PDB file of all heavy atoms in Angstrom:
ATOM      1  N   ASP A   1      -6.004  16.369   6.906  1.00  0.00           N
ATOM      2  CA  ASP A   1      -6.476  14.982   6.890  1.00  0.00           C
ATOM      3  C   ASP A   1      -6.595  14.431   5.479  1.00  0.00           C
ATOM      4  O   ASP A   1      -6.580  13.208   5.291  1.00  0.00           O
ATOM      5  CB  ASP A   1      -7.840  14.896   7.590  1.00  0.00           C
ATOM      6  CG  ASP A   1      -7.750  15.214   9.065  1.00  0.00           C
ATOM      7  OD1 ASP A   1      -7.143  14.410   9.786  1.00  0.00           O
ATOM      8  OD2 ASP A   1      -8.251  16.261   9.487  1.00  0.00           O
ATOM      9  N   ILE A   2      -6.722  15.304   4.490  1.00  0.00           N
ATOM     10  CA  ILE A   2      -6.880  14.830   3.101  1.00  0.00           C
ATOM     11  C   ILE A   2      -5.627  14.122   2.601  1.00  0.00           C
ATOM     12  O   ILE A   2      -5.700  12.959   2.176  1.00  0.00           O
ATOM     13  CB  ILE A   2      -7.282  15.998   2.179  1.00  0.00           C
ATOM     14  CG1 ILE A   2      -8.666  16.521   2.577  1.00  0.00           C
ATOM     15  CG2 ILE A   2      -7.286  15.554   0.716  1.00  0.00           C
ATOM     16  CD1 ILE A   2      -9.081  17.787   1.868  1.00  0.00           C
ATOM     17  N   PRO A   3      -4.427  14.774   2.638  1.00  0.00           N
ATOM     18  CA  PRO A   3      -3.239  14.048   2.176  1.00  0.00           C
ATOM     19  C   PRO A   3      -2.906  12.841   3.046  1.00  0.00           C
ATOM     20  O   PRO A   3      -2.402  11.835   2.538  1.00  0.00           O
ATOM     21  CB  PRO A   3      -2.127  15.106   2.245  1.00  0.00           C
ATOM     22  CG  PRO A   3      -2.614  16.157   3.167  1.00  0.00           C
ATOM     23  CD  PRO A   3      -4.096  16.171   2.991  1.00  0.00           C
ATOM     24  N   ILE A   4      -3.182  12.926   4.355  1.00  0.00           N
ATOM     25  CA  ILE A   4      -2.910  11.785   5.242  1.00  0.00           C
ATOM     26  C   ILE A   4      -3.779  10.593   4.847  1.00  0.00           C
ATOM     27  O   ILE A   4      -3.306   9.454   4.755  1.00  0.00           O
ATOM     28  CB  ILE A   4      -3.149  12.181   6.717  1.00  0.00           C
ATOM     29  CG1 ILE A   4      -2.087  13.186   7.174  1.00  0.00           C
ATOM     30  CG2 ILE A   4      -3.128  10.959   7.623  1.00  0.00           C
ATOM     31  CD1 ILE A   4      -2.336  13.765   8.556  1.00  0.00           C
ATOM     32  N   THR A   5      -5.068  10.851   4.609  1.00  0.00           N
ATOM     33  CA  THR A   5      -5.991   9.780   4.216  1.00  0.00           C
ATOM     34  C   THR A   5      -5.572   9.147   2.890  1.00  0.00           C
ATOM     35  O   THR A   5      -5.542   7.911   2.759  1.00  0.00           O
ATOM     36  CB  THR A   5      -7.426  10.337   4.085  1.00  0.00           C
ATOM     37  OG1 THR A   5      -7.824  10.882   5.343  1.00  0.00           O
ATOM     38  CG2 THR A   5      -8.396   9.246   3.687  1.00  0.00           C
ATOM     39  N   ILE A   6      -5.255   9.996   1.918  1.00  0.00           N
ATOM     40  CA  ILE A   6      -4.835   9.482   0.604  1.00  0.00           C
ATOM     41  C   ILE A   6      -3.563   8.654   0.751  1.00  0.00           C
ATOM     42  O   ILE A   6      -3.450   7.549   0.207  1.00  0.00           O
ATOM     43  CB  ILE A   6      -4.607  10.648  -0.385  1.00  0.00           C
ATOM     44  CG1 ILE A   6      -5.938  11.352  -0.681  1.00  0.00           C
ATOM     45  CG2 ILE A   6      -3.969  10.139  -1.683  1.00  0.00           C
ATOM     46  CD1 ILE A   6      -5.792  12.625  -1.480  1.00  0.00           C
ATOM     47  N   GLY A   7      -2.604   9.170   1.500  1.00  0.00           N
ATOM     48  CA  GLY A   7      -1.328   8.477   1.671  1.00  0.00           C
ATOM     49  C   GLY A   7      -1.496   7.121   2.333  1.00  0.00           C
ATOM     50  O   GLY A   7      -0.946   6.117   1.852  1.00  0.00           O
ATOM     51  N   ILE A   8      -2.253   7.081   3.436  1.00  0.00           N
ATOM     52  CA  ILE A   8      -2.450   5.814   4.155  1.00  0.00           C
ATOM     53  C   ILE A   8      -3.174   4.799   3.277  1.00  0.00           C
ATOM     54  O   ILE A   8      -2.776   3.629   3.180  1.00  0.00           O
ATOM     55  CB  ILE A   8      -3.224   6.057   5.466  1.00  0.00           C
ATOM     56  CG1 ILE A   8      -2.358   6.823   6.459  1.00  0.00           C
ATOM     57  CG2 ILE A   8      -3.684   4.738   6.079  1.00  0.00           C
ATOM     58  CD1 ILE A   8      -3.086   7.275   7.705  1.00  0.00           C
ATOM     59  N   GLY A   9      -4.251   5.257   2.615  1.00  0.00           N
ATOM     60  CA  GLY A   9      -5.034   4.344   1.776  1.00  0.00           C
ATOM     61  C   GLY A   9      -4.239   3.777   0.618  1.00  0.00           C
ATOM     62  O   GLY A   9      -4.229   2.550   0.393  1.00  0.00           O
ATOM     63  N   VAL A  10      -3.536   4.658  -0.093  1.00  0.00           N
ATOM     64  CA  VAL A  10      -2.764   4.217  -1.268  1.00  0.00           C
ATOM     65  C   VAL A  10      -1.614   3.306  -0.853  1.00  0.00           C
ATOM     66  O   VAL A  10      -1.363   2.269  -1.476  1.00  0.00           O
ATOM     67  CB  VAL A  10      -2.240   5.439  -2.053  1.00  0.00           C
ATOM     68  CG1 VAL A  10      -1.250   5.012  -3.125  1.00  0.00           C
ATOM     69  CG2 VAL A  10      -3.399   6.194  -2.695  1.00  0.00           C
ATOM     70  N   LEU A  11      -0.892   3.684   0.217  1.00  0.00           N
ATOM     71  CA  LEU A  11       0.254   2.889   0.649  1.00  0.00           C
ATOM     72  C   LEU A  11      -0.173   1.504   1.121  1.00  0.00           C
ATOM     73  O   LEU A  11       0.501   0.503   0.822  1.00  0.00           O
ATOM     74  CB  LEU A  11       1.002   3.614   1.766  1.00  0.00           C
ATOM     75  CG  LEU A  11       2.403   3.085   2.078  1.00  0.00           C
ATOM     76  CD1 LEU A  11       3.331   3.302   0.902  1.00  0.00           C
ATOM     77  CD2 LEU A  11       2.978   3.753   3.313  1.00  0.00           C
ATOM     78  N   PHE A  12      -1.294   1.425   1.833  1.00  0.00           N
ATOM     79  CA  PHE A  12      -1.779   0.119   2.290  1.00  0.00           C
ATOM     80  C   PHE A  12      -2.180  -0.761   1.106  1.00  0.00           C
ATOM     81  O   PHE A  12      -1.802  -1.946   1.043  1.00  0.00           O
ATOM     82  CB  PHE A  12      -2.962   0.309   3.238  1.00  0.00           C
ATOM     83  CG  PHE A  12      -3.578  -0.982   3.691  1.00  0.00           C
ATOM     84  CD1 PHE A  12      -2.915  -1.817   4.576  1.00  0.00           C
ATOM     85  CD2 PHE A  12      -4.832  -1.383   3.223  1.00  0.00           C
ATOM     86  CE1 PHE A  12      -3.484  -3.024   4.996  1.00  0.00           C
ATOM     87  CE2 PHE A  12      -5.398  -2.570   3.631  1.00  0.00           C
ATOM     88  CZ  PHE A  12      -4.723  -3.395   4.524  1.00  0.00           C
ATOM     89  N   LEU A  13      -2.928  -0.209   0.169  1.00  0.00           N
ATOM     90  CA  LEU A  13      -3.374  -0.991  -0.985  1.00  0.00           C
ATOM     91  C   LEU A  13      -2.192  -1.442  -1.843  1.00  0.00           C
ATOM     92  O   LEU A  13      -2.148  -2.586  -2.324  1.00  0.00           O
ATOM     93  CB  LEU A  13      -4.358  -0.160  -1.828  1.00  0.00           C
ATOM     94  CG  LEU A  13      -5.710   0.131  -1.161  1.00  0.00           C
ATOM     95  CD1 LEU A  13      -6.528   1.089  -2.018  1.00  0.00           C
ATOM     96  CD2 LEU A  13      -6.492  -1.148  -0.916  1.00  0.00           C
ATOM     97  N   TRP A  14      -1.226  -0.543  -2.046  1.00  0.00           N
ATOM     98  CA  TRP A  14      -0.062  -0.928  -2.845  1.00  0.00           C
ATOM     99  C   TRP A  14       0.772  -1.995  -2.127  1.00  0.00           C
ATOM    100  O   TRP A  14       1.261  -2.936  -2.765  1.00  0.00           O
ATOM    101  CB  TRP A  14       0.807   0.287  -3.138  1.00  0.00           C
ATOM    102  CG  TRP A  14       2.044  -0.068  -3.918  1.00  0.00           C
ATOM    103  CD1 TRP A  14       3.316  -0.184  -3.461  1.00  0.00           C
ATOM    104  CD2 TRP A  14       2.090  -0.405  -5.301  1.00  0.00           C
ATOM    105  NE1 TRP A  14       4.165  -0.551  -4.448  1.00  0.00           N
ATOM    106  CE2 TRP A  14       3.441  -0.696  -5.613  1.00  0.00           C
ATOM    107  CE3 TRP A  14       1.137  -0.484  -6.313  1.00  0.00           C
ATOM    108  CZ2 TRP A  14       3.856  -1.068  -6.892  1.00  0.00           C
ATOM    109  CZ3 TRP A  14       1.559  -0.841  -7.588  1.00  0.00           C
ATOM    110  CH2 TRP A  14       2.893  -1.128  -7.870  1.00  0.00           C
ATOM    111  N   SER A  15       0.912  -1.885  -0.820  1.00  0.00           N
ATOM    112  CA  SER A  15       1.666  -2.875  -0.049  1.00  0.00           C
ATOM    113  C   SER A  15       0.987  -4.238  -0.128  1.00  0.00           C
ATOM    114  O   SER A  15       1.647  -5.270  -0.299  1.00  0.00           O
ATOM    115  CB  SER A  15       1.800  -2.425   1.409  1.00  0.00           C
ATOM    116  OG  SER A  15       2.503  -1.207   1.499  1.00  0.00           O
ATOM    117  N   CYS A  16      -0.347  -4.259  -0.005  1.00  0.00           N
ATOM    118  CA  CYS A  16      -1.103  -5.517  -0.141  1.00  0.00           C
ATOM    119  C   CYS A  16      -0.920  -6.102  -1.547  1.00  0.00           C
ATOM    120  O   CYS A  16      -0.773  -7.321  -1.722  1.00  0.00           O
ATOM    121  CB  CYS A  16      -2.582  -5.288   0.142  1.00  0.00           C
ATOM    122  SG  CYS A  16      -2.959  -4.949   1.877  1.00  0.00           S
ATOM    123  N   TYR A  17      -0.924  -5.223  -2.543  1.00  0.00           N
ATOM    124  CA  TYR A  17      -0.737  -5.649  -3.939  1.00  0.00           C
ATOM    125  C   TYR A  17       0.621  -6.342  -4.104  1.00  0.00           C
ATOM    126  O   TYR A  17       0.723  -7.418  -4.714  1.00  0.00           O
ATOM    127  CB  TYR A  17      -0.837  -4.423  -4.852  1.00  0.00           C
ATOM    128  CG  TYR A  17      -0.431  -4.658  -6.283  1.00  0.00           C
ATOM    129  CD1 TYR A  17      -1.267  -5.340  -7.161  1.00  0.00           C
ATOM    130  CD2 TYR A  17       0.801  -4.182  -6.751  1.00  0.00           C
ATOM    131  CE1 TYR A  17      -0.893  -5.546  -8.485  1.00  0.00           C
ATOM    132  CE2 TYR A  17       1.190  -4.390  -8.061  1.00  0.00           C
ATOM    133  CZ  TYR A  17       0.342  -5.072  -8.926  1.00  0.00           C
ATOM    134  OH  TYR A  17       0.722  -5.285 -10.235  1.00  0.00           O
ATOM    135  N   GLU A  18       1.680  -5.754  -3.512  1.00  0.00           N
ATOM    136  CA  GLU A  18       3.012  -6.350  -3.612  1.00  0.00           C
ATOM    137  C   GLU A  18       3.075  -7.706  -2.908  1.00  0.00           C
ATOM    138  O   GLU A  18       3.658  -8.663  -3.425  1.00  0.00           O
ATOM    139  CB  GLU A  18       4.060  -5.407  -3.003  1.00  0.00           C
ATOM    140  CG  GLU A  18       4.466  -4.256  -3.904  1.00  0.00           C
ATOM    141  CD  GLU A  18       5.717  -3.552  -3.403  1.00  0.00           C
ATOM    142  OE1 GLU A  18       6.281  -3.993  -2.364  1.00  0.00           O
ATOM    143  OE2 GLU A  18       6.135  -2.581  -4.051  1.00  0.00           O
ATOM    144  N   VAL A  19       2.462  -7.797  -1.728  1.00  0.00           N
ATOM    145  CA  VAL A  19       2.529  -9.026  -0.939  1.00  0.00           C
ATOM    146  C   VAL A  19       1.730 -10.149  -1.603  1.00  0.00           C
ATOM    147  O   VAL A  19       2.216 -11.284  -1.769  1.00  0.00           O
ATOM    148  CB  VAL A  19       2.022  -8.781   0.495  1.00  0.00           C
ATOM    149  CG1 VAL A  19       1.826 -10.106   1.243  1.00  0.00           C
ATOM    150  CG2 VAL A  19       2.992  -7.892   1.249  1.00  0.00           C
ATOM    151  N   PHE A  20       0.503  -9.862  -2.004  1.00  0.00           N
ATOM    152  CA  PHE A  20      -0.368 -10.909  -2.556  1.00  0.00           C
ATOM    153  C   PHE A  20       0.113 -11.411  -3.908  1.00  0.00           C
ATOM    154  O   PHE A  20      -0.134 -12.570  -4.278  1.00  0.00           O
ATOM    155  CB  PHE A  20      -1.804 -10.400  -2.671  1.00  0.00           C
ATOM    156  CG  PHE A  20      -2.445 -10.118  -1.327  1.00  0.00           C
ATOM    157  CD1 PHE A  20      -3.345  -9.076  -1.161  1.00  0.00           C
ATOM    158  CD2 PHE A  20      -2.125 -10.894  -0.209  1.00  0.00           C
ATOM    159  CE1 PHE A  20      -3.922  -8.820   0.066  1.00  0.00           C
ATOM    160  CE2 PHE A  20      -2.704 -10.643   1.020  1.00  0.00           C
ATOM    161  CZ  PHE A  20      -3.599  -9.598   1.159  1.00  0.00           C
ATOM    162  N   LEU A  21       0.831 -10.574  -4.669  1.00  0.00           N
ATOM    163  CA  LEU A  21       1.370 -11.008  -5.961  1.00  0.00           C
ATOM    164  C   LEU A  21       2.846 -11.397  -5.849  1.00  0.00           C
ATOM    165  O   LEU A  21       3.512 -11.623  -6.868  1.00  0.00           O
ATOM    166  CB  LEU A  21       1.196  -9.903  -7.008  1.00  0.00           C
ATOM    167  CG  LEU A  21      -0.253  -9.568  -7.392  1.00  0.00           C
ATOM    168  CD1 LEU A  21      -0.294  -8.495  -8.475  1.00  0.00           C
ATOM    169  CD2 LEU A  21      -1.006 -10.809  -7.860  1.00  0.00           C
ATOM    170  N   ASP A  22       3.331 -11.435  -4.603  1.00  0.00           N
ATOM    171  CA  ASP A  22       4.711 -11.844  -4.333  1.00  0.00           C
ATOM    172  C   ASP A  22       5.729 -10.978  -5.078  1.00  0.00           C
ATOM    173  O   ASP A  22       6.730 -11.478  -5.602  1.00  0.00           O
ATOM    174  CB  ASP A  22       4.914 -13.322  -4.692  1.00  0.00           C
ATOM    175  CG  ASP A  22       6.143 -13.913  -3.989  1.00  0.00           C
ATOM    176  OD1 ASP A  22       6.611 -13.282  -3.014  1.00  0.00           O
ATOM    177  OD2 ASP A  22       6.630 -14.966  -4.433  1.00  0.00           O
ATOM    178  N   LEU A  23       5.445  -9.657  -5.102  1.00  0.00           N
ATOM    179  CA  LEU A  23       6.357  -8.726  -5.768  1.00  0.00           C
ATOM    180  C   LEU A  23       7.321  -8.074  -4.775  1.00  0.00           C
ATOM    181  O   LEU A  23       8.320  -7.481  -5.167  1.00  0.00           O
ATOM    182  CB  LEU A  23       5.565  -7.622  -6.488  1.00  0.00           C
ATOM    183  CG  LEU A  23       4.583  -8.091  -7.565  1.00  0.00           C
ATOM    184  CD1 LEU A  23       3.770  -6.916  -8.086  1.00  0.00           C
ATOM    185  CD2 LEU A  23       5.346  -8.758  -8.717  1.00  0.00           C
ATOM    186  N   GLY A  24       7.014  -8.148  -3.494  1.00  0.00           N
ATOM    187  CA  GLY A  24       7.844  -7.528  -2.465  1.00  0.00           C
ATOM    188  C   GLY A  24       7.120  -7.529  -1.139  1.00  0.00           C
ATOM    189  O   GLY A  24       6.009  -8.079  -1.006  1.00  0.00           O
ATOM    190  N   SER A  25       7.727  -6.892  -0.129  1.00  0.00           N
ATOM    191  CA  SER A  25       7.139  -6.897   1.218  1.00  0.00           C
ATOM    192  C   SER A  25       6.326  -5.639   1.514  1.00  0.00           C
ATOM    193  O   SER A  25       5.778  -5.492   2.594  1.00  0.00           O
ATOM    194  CB  SER A  25       8.251  -7.042   2.266  1.00  0.00           C
ATOM    195  OG  SER A  25       9.179  -5.968   2.146  1.00  0.00           O
ATOM    196  N   GLY A  26       6.243  -4.712   0.527  1.00  0.00           N
ATOM    197  CA  GLY A  26       5.438  -3.510   0.715  1.00  0.00           C
ATOM    198  C   GLY A  26       6.080  -2.514   1.672  1.00  0.00           C
ATOM    199  O   GLY A  26       7.285  -2.579   1.953  1.00  0.00           O
ATOM    200  N   TYR A  27       5.247  -1.602   2.167  1.00  0.00           N
ATOM    201  CA  TYR A  27       5.724  -0.519   3.045  1.00  0.00           C
ATOM    202  C   TYR A  27       4.984  -0.521   4.380  1.00  0.00           C
ATOM    203  O   TYR A  27       4.672   0.532   4.936  1.00  0.00           O
ATOM    204  CB  TYR A  27       5.515   0.834   2.353  1.00  0.00           C
ATOM    205  CG  TYR A  27       6.282   0.993   1.058  1.00  0.00           C
ATOM    206  CD1 TYR A  27       5.677   0.741  -0.158  1.00  0.00           C
ATOM    207  CD2 TYR A  27       7.618   1.390   1.078  1.00  0.00           C
ATOM    208  CE1 TYR A  27       6.379   0.888  -1.350  1.00  0.00           C
ATOM    209  CE2 TYR A  27       8.332   1.549  -0.101  1.00  0.00           C
ATOM    210  CZ  TYR A  27       7.711   1.289  -1.314  1.00  0.00           C
ATOM    211  OH  TYR A  27       8.410   1.425  -2.478  1.00  0.00           O
ATOM    212  N   PHE A  28       4.724  -1.726   4.905  1.00  0.00           N
ATOM    213  CA  PHE A  28       3.964  -1.798   6.155  1.00  0.00           C
ATOM    214  C   PHE A  28       4.729  -1.193   7.335  1.00  0.00           C
ATOM    215  O   PHE A  28       4.125  -0.648   8.266  1.00  0.00           O
ATOM    216  CB  PHE A  28       3.606  -3.255   6.461  1.00  0.00           C
ATOM    217  CG  PHE A  28       2.626  -3.843   5.496  1.00  0.00           C
ATOM    218  CD1 PHE A  28       3.022  -4.827   4.601  1.00  0.00           C
ATOM    219  CD2 PHE A  28       1.310  -3.397   5.451  1.00  0.00           C
ATOM    220  CE1 PHE A  28       2.120  -5.361   3.698  1.00  0.00           C
ATOM    221  CE2 PHE A  28       0.409  -3.935   4.556  1.00  0.00           C
ATOM    222  CZ  PHE A  28       0.817  -4.912   3.667  1.00  0.00           C
TER     223      PHE A  28
END
C-alpha cells in the first residue's frame, strides 16, 4: 500500500498542476 499510495497521490497532484497551469492534460 505504501508505493500505491505514493504513486496515486503524486500522480494526481502533478496532473492537477499540469491542468491548472495549462501545461498539459496530466495522467488522469
Side-chain angles (χ1 to χ4, degrees):
D1 294 292
I2 295 172
I4 291 173
T5 300
I6 294 172
I8 291 172
V10 170
L11 195 65
F12 176 71
L13 292 173
W14 178 257
S15 299
C16 290
Y17 170 75
E18 281 193 2
V19 169
F20 294 145
L21 294 182
D22 200 17
L23 301 174
S25 59
Y27 298 96
F28 292 110

